[in-house]
Amino acid sequence: MTDHQKLICVNCPMGCTLDVTVDGETVVDVSGNTCKRGTEYAQAEISDPRRMVASTVKVQGGIHPLVPVYTETAFPKPRIFNLLAQLREVELKAPVAAGQIVLKDVLGTGVDVLASRDLPAA
Amino acid sequence: MADQTYDIIIIGAGIIGSLVARELSRYRLRILLLEKASDVGAGTTAANTAIVHGGYDPVPGSLKAVMNVAGNAMWDTLAGELNFAFDRCGDYVVAIGPEELPRLNDLLDMGKQNGVPGLSIISGEDMRRREPNINPAVSGAMVAPTGGICDPFGATIAAAENALLNGVDLMLETAFEDFVIERGRITAVKTSRGIFGCRWVVNAAGLYADRVMHRAGVRPDFHITPRRGEYVIMDKADVDIRNVMFPVPAEHSKGILVTTTTHGNTVVGPNSHEIADKEDKSVTRAGLEEIWRGAEKLAPSLQKRHVIANFAGLRATGNASCLTPGINYDHDFIIEVATEVQGLVNLGGIESPGLSSAPAIARRVIDLLADAGEPLTAKREWNPLRPARPRFRDLSSHERERLVAEDPLYGRIVCRCETVMEGEIVAETRAPIPATTYDAIKRRTWLGTGRCQGGFDMPRVIEILARELGLSPLEITKKGPGSELLFRPTKEVGI
Amino acid sequence: MALKQTYDVVVIGSGPGGLAAAIEAKKAGADDVLIIERAREMGGILLQCIHQGFGTQVFKEDLAGPTYAQRFIDAARSVGVETLLDTMVLDITPDRRITATSQQAGFTEIEARALVLGMGCRERTRAQIQLPGSRPAGVYTAGTAQRFVNMEGFMPGKRFVILGSGDIGMIMARRLTFEGASVERVLEIMPFLSGLMRNYVQCLLDFDIPLQLQPTVSRVIGNRRVEAVETVRVDDTWAPIPGSEEIIPCDTLLLSVGLIPENELSRKAGVLLDPVTGGPYVDEGFQTNVPGIFAAGNVVHVYDLVDWVTEAGITAGRRAAEFARTPVKSRPGSIHLQAGDNVRYVVPHTLHPERLAEEPVPLQMRVRRPIEQPVWVEVWDNETRIARKAERYVRPGEMTTIVLPQRAADAVRNASTLTVTVVER
């Protein structure tokens, strides 16, 4: 039983609108893309959509109360809010170093969350 | 029964109430100044054209005319003693096109009748020289050399601070609720924060003066209808208007002005529309269009993209008839001792020229009390002066250097557009009437009134206020309870 | 480290433009380079842009804003750039005398042999878009809200409406959703998206936040705190369509309605500003009309990718170092560039052919309206076409660039004015 989904590809700023025919979790056809990265994007979006996620975590004793963090690799989109809930529980102690691992293999996804910048102690 | 007893209680700390308080503080009297808002001068005083009118415009013989001309003459001394911005720069009524020229003569006559000094009519060419941005179709203008511009809030806070310095008590966030009347005389005032005994009350409640006087059964037919005036403010860096310019007046209002201000910016407005809600200070799209048409009449070179702010003010328009026999005018000031009850000096319908008249109205209140037999013993130690706190933007390079050396907090900038330093903000939180909200800081320092409209300074102001007042940033408000600026810490959800 | 009286190069602002200029000036041989920064740390606006999207060109990586900044902050330290932090420049003169003030250093006066302006932008406010209504607490520009959420650590509200589909607005829609708030609507007065498509997908579509094109906020409702906004649809002349009003309950209105280059200081130094960009008139080295005063980054015009800001900063820094060594009063023979069909503005405004002979010059522009079809970007001298580039589409929300190659120097030398156009293929 096939279904149609419209997606906008974000691999490059062009933003082609893709018409994706799916059968369950399988991509049957992709049209509207200008390059083959569009097809790959459609595949990934249907079977395993992922996003780079950026947020902040609390810091004790630093020059700011929060330090920005980011996922080192793309994180499964359906579980983003679980990730954010995890991040809310974190409290680091200053100083924090850029690239420092804040959460390793978060929620068993294999994705690490790193600090985006140095945060010196107050 | 009363929590505390005073000789005189003043209801309302706008420009009128604050000047009355200051006048009364000259005498050996216990005075209480009440204000329902979180700050003085937060009502009509905070939102008007800021012009000290010459006095040619009010109906001759009306109380407005008498008070305007008398009050106008008192502003230099007042500004000198209280240290706020006032500039007697003169004002112009500008005629566009030959059809409007004869109206200038009518205004001149009316002005002479009212006793306004120095009025004259100049040519269109002369007006163009004085104001290069004026509509080239200008046919002539009337000059009123006694007209001027001021900082109304600056005057109010200065007067209130001086009153406090001279022994007056001030209670903010204290709303009038009712009178206690015993044997036909007011003996106490009930407020949201307690009952206060008194021998006299001065009703300076502005937009709500009618409600206050009705609680004492005074003038039941008198009503105040709010008339909203909308304004736009234009960037001083882009707009070079040098003068105070009125159009030839319309039926019920002075018309839409184009004027410079003590801030240096240009203000265009106000329009004039009756509304129902005494709290509705919203600006409307139609109103902005109307103001813009007025701007185009006087100064067609003004461009909308130079507008940096807009605001609205509410006039307390009353329906009191002029008491002078033979004068047919229905919107005059009420400045009188009430007859229906004893112990009330009643002020009502104080709309334009209320600001200009304010020093004279305050003096008139003293006269009314004296005439009513109230003993007024002058205090030898009364101090007319109120020292101004340093304004970094107004200081010379040398003065700035010295100030920063004395107090390094004056070296850290908070508002870039208006050059307001952290030291100034801290000083305002420690002033006799402390600033405790963002808008209070804005009114006192002019911070956030420039190009970025608070975008840059707000996080810093919240931080400073929280620190100085010992509060969490979540408790800092824009204009009192209910207007908190921040909601919760970023990482705490589920509230 | 004691402050000197004179520096070879002074840079005002330590955002990406200022940092790149300072580092390059030092590398290009300036003896001493000083950055004056009003915040307590370097990085400028990047510090609060915690999302990724930075460095895809310069580092071939997808970095968060603060990470991108950190790289340049570290580089600046390692090449020996001096810094004056928590210090505000109050005044600059045409002969490059700078007056600054700070809590620590007090009142300071410094002279610069060359000056680079890197003050960035401020945000357009509610009054500048003539937004009617009351003035309760709860109306913020998106950047101010971003600062509160990401740096001060406070949420400015609970239920948001965002006016403007610029990148900052869309980024904040996602950010606020991440931190537990609800974003009711994003409204865009134009009939097209104002920012990048990538942000539309990853900030709005991903979280089912509705975007409406062609309504605007007609007034703010609420006395002490925002209680709702009224929206109305507009037609193609931006006139409200009566009867299309809708009230959206909310407690916060975020404005993402444009950035304006921050040039108050530039004016004081006698720098002439282009009324279309809001920034200084510059040549291919980003020198303004005042000799020895350069400008780099968003202070010149609003960029879309930080990578191009870095590139501009490098050019400005190199030229500033050169000027500090050998000041030149003026360089004659510059050719004017003007915006032609469908182009709103072009930067730089003037071009020296002998510089073009030394190295290619990128021309940056923004178009007036989107063309979602293949186009030619062309540079003309009267009837002669000097350069041409094919683009698959053009959008006002994305900067368009064409690089003038060195071999065009001769043609440019003989030109009177160059016109840049964008036409459908």
Side-chain angles (χ1 to χ4, degrees), chain B residues 216-251:
Chain B
V218 172
R219 286 195 180 242
D221 293 329
F222 175 74
H223 292 288
I224 289 179
T225 308
R227 260 195 318 127
R228 183 171 59 201
E230 297 163 88
Y231 301 81
V232 298
I233 305 179
M234 307 192 66
D235 195 339
K236 60 180 167 240
D238 295 306
V239 175
D240 184 29
I241 292 288
R242 300 171 195 180
N243 295 288
V244 179
M245 292 170 296
F246 295 82
V248 162
E251 185 67 45

Side-chain angles (χ1 to χ4, degrees), chain C residues 274 277 282 286 300-301 303 337 345-349 362-365:
Chain C
D274 174 359
T277 58
V282 292
F286 293 100
V300 176
H301 74 106
Y303 283 72
L337 286 141
Y345 67 79
V346 181
V347 169
H349 303 81
L363 305 182
Q364 285 157 347
M365 72 201 79

Side-chain angles (χ1 to χ4, degrees), chain C residues 181-300:
Chain C
S182 79
V183 178
E184 306 289 324
R185 206 82 59 93
V186 176
L187 305 160
E188 169 56 57
I189 196 171
M190 300 297 262
F192 48 81
L193 192 70
S194 175
L196 300 173
M197 188 61 76
R198 167 187 181 167
N199 288 328
Y200 172 59
V201 173
Q202 298 190 335
C203 300
L204 302 188
L205 284 183
D206 270 5
F207 303 103
D208 294 320
I209 297 171
L211 167 70
Q212 281 181 301
L213 297 179
Q214 287 193 290
T216 187
V217 173
S218 45
R219 68 190 164 102
V220 174
I221 299 168
N223 193 357
R224 311 193 76 75
R225 177 85 203 190
V226 171
E227 287 162 29
V229 295
E230 179 191 81
T231 70
V232 71
R233 283 214 328 276
V234 296
D235 61 27
D236 292 325
T237 68
W238 296 1
I241 299 172
S244 69
E245 290 87 6
E246 185 193 346
I247 307 257
I248 309 177
C250 58
D251 56 42
T252 318
L253 173 64
L254 245 49
L255 302 174
S256 172
V257 291
L259 296 175
I260 303 171
E262 183 59 75
N263 280 285
E264 257 178 82
L265 282 178
S266 320
R267 272 190 246 226
K268 291 189 177 186
V271 169
L272 290 175
L273 304 179
D274 174 359
V276 180
T277 58
Y281 288 108
V282 292
D283 68 11
E284 76 291 326
F286 293 100
Q287 181 163 219
T288 67
N289 62 298
V290 179
I293 299 187
F294 300 79
N298 274 0
V299 74
V300 176

Side-chain angles (χ1 to χ4, degrees), chain B residues 417-436:
Chain B
C417 306
E418 296 295 319
T419 319
V420 179
M421 317 305 276
E422 180 164 343
E424 295 175 64
I425 298 171
V426 172
E428 293 304 326
T429 63
R430 300 180 187 171
I433 304 174
T436 58

Side-chain angles (χ1 to χ4, degrees), chain B residues 327-343:
Chain B
I327 306 291
N328 194 2
Y329 180 57
D330 288 327
H331 302 288
D332 208 357
F333 287 161
I334 295 173
I335 306 174
E336 65 191 15
V337 170
T339 51
E340 297 93 327
V341 77
Q342 288 194 331

Side-chain angles (χ1 to χ4, degrees), chain B residues 127-261:
Chain B
M127 190 66 222
R128 270 194 297 274
R129 237 191 334 263
R130 297 178 191 216
E131 182 59 68
N133 284 299
I134 197 75
N135 189 334
V138 55
S139 54
M142 183 180 79
V143 189
T146 56
I149 51 179
C150 72
D151 173 12
F153 178 78
T156 305
I157 184 98
E161 281 186 7
N162 179 259
L164 258 66
L165 188 75
N166 285 300
V168 170
D169 282 348
L170 167 68
M171 288 182 68
L172 297 172
E173 288 180 8
T174 308
F176 164 83
E177 287 176 351
D178 207 350
F179 292 112
V180 176
I181 299 173
E182 291 168 316
R183 285 193 287 267
R185 186 174 189 102
I186 295 174
T187 56
V189 174
K190 281 189 189 163
T191 75
S192 55
R193 291 216 201 184
I195 303 176
F196 302 95
C198 61
R199 287 182 299 107
W200 283 94
V201 171
V202 179
N203 176 11
L207 284 161
Y208 293 91
D210 54 351
R211 292 201 201 158
V212 171
M213 68 180 81
H214 291 167
R215 297 306 282 170
V218 172
R219 286 195 180 242
D221 293 329
F222 175 74
H223 292 288
I224 289 179
T225 308
R227 260 195 318 127
R228 183 171 59 201
E230 297 163 88
Y231 301 81
V232 298
I233 305 179
M234 307 192 66
D235 195 339
K236 60 180 167 240
D238 295 306
V239 175
D240 184 29
I241 292 288
R242 300 171 195 180
N243 295 288
V244 179
M245 292 170 296
F246 295 82
V248 162
E251 185 67 45
H252 289 300
S253 75
K254 294 186 174 63
I256 292 170
L257 292 79
V258 174
T259 178
T260 184
T261 65

